Amino acid sequence: MAKVTLIAYTPSPDQLVAQAARLCYSSASVGEIGDSLTPQKAASLVEMLENMGHGSPTEHASFTFGIEGVSRSFLAQITRHRIASYSVKSQRYVDERNFSFVIPPEIDAVPEARTEFLEAMEEDRKRYESISSLLREKHKKRLMDSGKPEKQAGSEARKLAGEDARFVLPNACTTQMICTFDARSLNHFFSLRCCNRAQWEIRGVAIQMLRLVRQAAPALFCKAGPPCVKGACPEGKMTCGKAEEVRAFFSRLGTNP
């Protein structure tokens, strides 16, 4: 199961964003802009930004997450959100002979499908190890023939073998990453990925992320979630038809530590 950790975030994010917003509409200096800005006033200013559609002040607050136990398929989805920064475990340099993997719930729920899936994962492991071994042997011999010491040749050969052997690894293979979003990008991410129509894995991660940032910055994310949280569902004929249920779920999300 995916695990999300909020590693770090801008201190007092609601307060910072409120100061940035106040600066836009005040003659006060930067040094004075935070004077008398109580948490209640900060929350009111952040709400004003939401109502006005003025998102740029929210870009000053950033949030960094650690995400583990997700598939490479998930990686392909989340990195489509380009206004974010990512560091991902490399299959090129990390040996994946004993890779772990994600089993989709729909496959896990059908015994015959689960058996087929597990057999496929085991076959992938065997192929990865076999290809790695053949390539290591080839590269080591070539490097030693070029004059490199055996130990050095063996080390370089392992890296070169992994570079190509990884092509046999499945989308189910797990990975881990650290990613950083600013609050504006996060709200956009939540609007897309918290929706019932989002793919199950990234939706589960998005909900974990939202729960965490709501505790860190309640004003910034009090209305975050799919579009139906704030208004009508925009999906037309593709709607899940559960807007009231979705609103109730997100209104409660993150209210308890």
Side-chain angles (χ1 to χ4, degrees):
M1 179 180 176
K3 177 184 177 183
V4 181
T5 305
L6 182 56
I7 296 175
Y9 58 91
T10 302
S12 304
D14 289 341
Q15 201 81 1
L16 174 63
V17 169
Q19 288 185 39
R22 182 183 262 191
L23 184 68
C24 295
Y25 305 103
S26 171
S27 60
S29 68
V30 171
E32 299 168 334
I33 207 69
D35 293 350
S36 73
L37 188 61
T38 65
Q40 293 74 24
K41 288 182 179 179
S44 179
L45 276 169
V46 170
E47 183 179 7
M48 180 193 74
L49 293 176
E50 169 72 26
N51 294 336
M52 294 174 62
H54 185 187
S56 61
T58 67
E59 295 174 14
H60 295 293
S62 66
F63 300 80
T64 298
F65 304 88
I67 303 177
E68 304 171 86
V70 289
S71 69
R72 299 290 291 197
S73 179
F74 168 90
L75 174 63
Q77 293 187 81
I78 195 169
T79 51
R80 292 175 66 189
H81 295 272
R82 295 182 293 278
I83 308 179
S85 302
Y86 304 95
S87 298
V88 183
K89 184 181 78 170
S90 173
Q91 288 184 337
R92 184 180 183 189
Y93 295 109
V94 178
D95 193 317
E96 294 281 12
R97 279 176 292 180
N98 296 309
F99 69 85
S100 57
F101 49 84
V102 173
I103 304 180
E106 294 294 334
I107 292 177
D108 201 33
V110 180
E112 296 86 352
R114 175 183 169 85
T115 297
E116 290 279 353
F117 187 87
L118 294 177
E119 288 176 356
M121 295 302 102
E122 183 58 32
E123 181 65 21
D124 283 342
R125 278 201 185 98
K126 290 178 181 177
R127 297 298 184 188
Y128 177 84
E129 173 58 23
S130 177
I131 292 170
S132 293
S133 179
L134 291 167
L135 291 176
R136 283 197 303 271
E137 184 178 325
K138 172 191 173 183
H139 289 309
K140 183 177 180 180
K141 181 179 184 303
R142 175 179 59 79
L143 291 166
M144 289 181 66
D145 287 347
S146 70
K148 292 194 175 182
E150 182 176 1
K151 185 176 180 180
Q152 181 182 352
S155 177
E156 292 183 18
R158 279 193 297 275
K159 293 176 183 177
L160 289 168
E163 184 173 314
D164 291 327
R166 62 181 168 151
F167 278 77
V168 79
L169 293 171
N171 266 343
C173 187
T174 59
T175 190
Q176 54 189 343
M177 68 190 71
I178 290 175
C179 58
T180 301
F181 290 78
D182 65 54
R184 188 179 194 177
S185 298
L186 262 182
N187 269 308
H188 177 66
F189 173 78
F190 293 143
S191 73
L192 297 175
R193 302 303 187 170
C194 287
C195 176
N196 276 351
R197 295 197 61 241
Q199 188 263 352
W200 62 268
E201 188 178 22
I202 198 166
R203 182 172 187 269
V205 169
I207 288 171
Q208 287 192 58
M209 291 167 68
L210 177 52
R211 182 181 287 113
L212 291 168
V213 296
R214 272 199 177 166
Q215 293 165 21
L220 277 170
F221 298 104
C222 66
K223 295 182 180 179
C228 64
V229 167
K230 292 182 281 189
C233 174
E235 296 293 332
K237 293 181 180 180
M238 304 299 289
T239 181
C240 70
K242 299 178 180 179
E244 290 301 322
E245 181 182 322
V246 170
R247 290 183 190 118
F249 173 82
F250 283 97
S251 70
R252 299 188 301 267
L253 186 70
T255 54
N256 297 313

